[in-house]
Amino acid sequence: MFITISISAQKKKGKPANNDCYLTEAVKTFDLSDDQKNELNDLLIKASEDRAAIKKGVKTGEIIKDQVKGKTRGVNRKYFADLGKLTGKSREEVMAFVKEVGKNCR
């Protein structure tokens, strides 16, 4: 039981580090101000909460599994559009950044 708790705690601690890595890379790549960095952090948190709500909806039966992919895609599209507005970059540039950072911030 102790091992299980320890492993779970380590997984939870890893997530903020990924966001920190993501934010650091975004600031460097897009030359973001502190206000933009804070706004991006809010966007990341919102997208994460929306994805968690989808998972919760599946568990409670409010969302059927066939809807998950579409709903998650909608959350991601909104996030990518908001990131593009924040940075002033095209969708292609945003997607290239997200793909590259996904490799580097695991």
Side-chain angles (χ1 to χ4, degrees):
M1 185 169 182
F2 179 72
I3 294 171
T4 304
I5 293 170
S6 176
I7 291 170
S8 295
Q10 288 175 356
K11 286 182 181 178
K12 289 180 182 179
K13 288 181 182 178
K15 200 155 190 142
N18 288 343
N19 279 355
D20 290 343
C21 176
Y22 189 96
L23 287 169
T24 300
E25 291 297 317
V27 167
K28 286 192 285 187
T29 302
F30 300 122
D31 194 30
L32 300 179
S33 68
D34 285 340
D35 288 340
Q36 289 172 312
K37 179 182 175 184
N38 291 334
E39 187 175 342
L40 176 56
N41 189 47
D42 292 343
L43 291 174
L44 285 168
I45 290 169
K46 174 72 171 125
S48 180
E49 289 172 347
D50 290 348
R51 287 186 204 100
I54 292 168
K55 288 181 183 179
K56 183 178 179 182
V58 171
K59 287 182 180 180
T60 62
E62 295 173 23
I63 299 173
I64 60 173
K65 289 186 179 187
D66 293 344
Q67 297 173 319
V68 172
K69 190 173 188 177
K71 289 185 177 292
T72 302
R73 187 175 290 142
V75 169
N76 291 340
R77 283 183 179 157
K78 178 169 179 10
Y79 169 75
F80 297 142
D82 290 343
L83 179 57
K85 288 177 192 173
L86 177 70
T87 61
K89 301 297 179 184
S90 70
R91 177 166 169 70
E92 292 78 21
E93 291 171 299
V94 167
M95 296 306 295
F97 167 76
V98 170
K99 185 176 180 179
E100 185 63 31
V101 170
K103 293 177 191 174
N104 297 336
C105 291
R106 288 187 185 190

